[in-house]
Amino acid sequence: RESLIEANTPIAQILANRIFLFDPLDRAADNPDFWPLERCRTEIAQLETIPQHEATTLFQTVLTGDDQTKLKLIMRDQAAQLAQALEQDNYEAAGKYWQSLLRLKVIGNDEVEKMMGEHALVKIQHYVSGCMGTFKRYAVQYQFDQAERQLALLKMLANHFPNADLRINLAELEALLTQCKEKKAEEQRNTDQKLAEAKEKAVQKVRKEMEQKLEQLEAQLRASQQAQRPQQPDVSINITVQFPLE
C-alpha cells in the first residue's frame, strides 16, 4: 500500500484505498494493512452491484492465439468422438462428451461459445434433424412401429442433451404420430365400408343371376316334360244299327 501511495497516480491512489489484507482468524489485528472481519463485511455490503450483462464482459477471459488453437483442437477431438457415438446410437457416451465440452464454458469467453456451436452443437443438430426426417417419413407411410422407435430415440437424445438447442419439439412429433394413426384408421374404415358394399353388391348380383338361371332351368324342364309326353290317337267309332224289315 505504501508503494502505491508513493506512486502518486490516480489509479494507484484508488487501489491504495481499496486494497487490503484479511486473516479469517484476525491474527494480524495490530497490522493496519489487515482489515478485521466486520470491516470486510461492511465494505463488501457498501459496494455497488455490477449488472450481469456487464459482468460477463468485464470479467471475460482473454484468449491468446495459442489458447484458441489449443481449444479448437480439444473441441474438434471431442466433437468427433461425440459424432461417432451418435452414429453408433450410444447416446450416453455422446451426452458425456457434450457435458465435457460444456465445462469449457467456465472460461467465460465468447470465442468458446462460438467454437462449441461450430464444432459440436452443429453435429448434434444435424443428427437430430436426420432422426426427425426418418420419423416423419415412417409416420406418413403408416410404419408406426418404426416411427415410434425413432420417437423413442429422439426422447433419449433430449434426455442426454438437456442444455443443447436440439431444435426439436417432441409434443409436435407426438401429435403428428397421433394424427397419422387417426388418418390410417379412418382410411381403414372407409376401405372396410367400401369392401362391405362391394361384397353386398356382388352377393346381390350372384343371387339375381342364380334366380334367373333357376327360372331358365324350370322353363327348360317344363318344355322337356311336355315334349316327352305321349300323344293320344284319335278314335272314331261308327255304329250302324239295322232294323229288321217287316
Side-chain angles (χ1 to χ4, degrees):
R1 178 176 295 183
E2 292 178 357
S3 298
L4 290 171
I5 295 174
E6 292 175 358
N8 195 25
T9 62
I11 295 178
Q13 293 298 321
I14 293 173
L15 291 175
N17 293 329
R18 290 179 178 272
I19 195 169
F20 67 92
L21 299 174
F22 169 67
D23 184 353
L25 300 180
D26 282 337
R27 289 173 296 187
D30 56 340
N31 190 329
D33 287 335
F34 281 81
W35 284 2
L37 178 60
E38 289 302 323
R39 183 177 179 184
C40 287
R41 290 175 175 174
T42 302
E43 292 290 339
I44 292 174
Q46 292 176 353
L47 292 174
E48 295 181 3
T49 59
I50 302 175
Q52 182 63 36
H53 66 280
E54 293 183 9
T56 302
T57 304
L58 182 63
F59 299 107
Q60 189 177 77
T61 304
V62 178
L63 298 179
T64 65
D66 187 52
D67 292 336
Q68 292 185 15
T69 301
K70 291 181 179 179
L71 269 176
K72 286 180 180 179
L73 291 175
I74 293 172
M75 287 189 171
R76 285 173 181 170
D77 178 68
Q78 293 287 311
Q81 296 185 64
L82 186 152
Q84 184 178 6
L86 287 175
E87 292 300 329
Q88 296 173 352
D89 294 338
N90 190 349
Y91 300 151
E92 183 177 358
K96 289 180 179 179
Y97 287 123
W98 174 249
Q99 294 299 325
S100 177
L101 288 170
L102 286 179
R103 295 189 186 99
L104 295 175
K105 285 188 173 183
V106 72
I107 297 174
N109 187 279
D110 292 339
E111 190 67 21
V112 174
E113 295 279 351
K114 182 179 179 182
M115 286 189 289
M116 285 188 64
E118 292 176 350
H119 297 293
L121 183 58
V122 68
K123 295 182 183 295
I124 300 173
Q125 291 174 341
H126 178 74
Y127 182 82
V128 170
S129 177
C131 289
M132 287 194 296
T134 302
F135 164 80
K136 291 178 181 178
R137 183 173 68 254
Y138 283 138
V140 298
Q141 292 178 352
Y142 301 155
Q143 299 182 34
F144 298 129
D145 291 341
Q146 296 293 338
E148 288 176 350
R149 179 178 180 276
Q150 288 296 318
L151 184 59
L153 293 179
L154 288 167
K155 289 180 179 179
M156 290 176 60
L157 281 169
N159 290 332
H160 287 292
F161 298 92
N163 300 320
D165 180 16
L166 301 182
R167 298 177 181 176
I168 177 176
N169 190 323
L170 292 174
E172 289 184 359
L173 296 179
E174 290 177 344
L176 174 62
L177 182 59
T178 300
Q179 182 181 359
C180 289
K181 287 182 176 180
E182 292 175 350
K183 184 178 179 182
K184 171 63 175 178
E186 182 180 359
E187 290 180 357
Q188 186 63 47
R189 288 192 297 270
N190 293 335
T191 300
D192 292 343
Q193 183 178 356
K194 290 179 180 179
L195 287 174
E197 292 175 354
K199 182 179 179 180
E200 181 64 23
K201 289 181 179 179
V203 170
Q204 294 293 338
K205 182 178 179 181
V206 171
R207 183 178 299 169
K208 185 176 181 179
E209 291 177 351
M210 290 297 295
E211 290 175 351
Q212 291 176 349
K213 287 183 178 180
L214 287 174
E215 291 176 356
Q216 292 175 358
L217 288 174
E218 289 178 356
Q220 292 175 0
L221 181 61
R222 286 195 299 269
S224 176
Q225 289 176 347
Q226 290 178 359
Q228 293 178 0
R229 185 179 300 168
Q231 295 183 354
Q232 296 295 331
D234 294 336
V235 179
S236 299
I237 300 176
N238 295 323
I239 300 175
T240 305
V241 180
Q242 295 183 352
F243 296 95
L245 296 176
E246 293 180 354

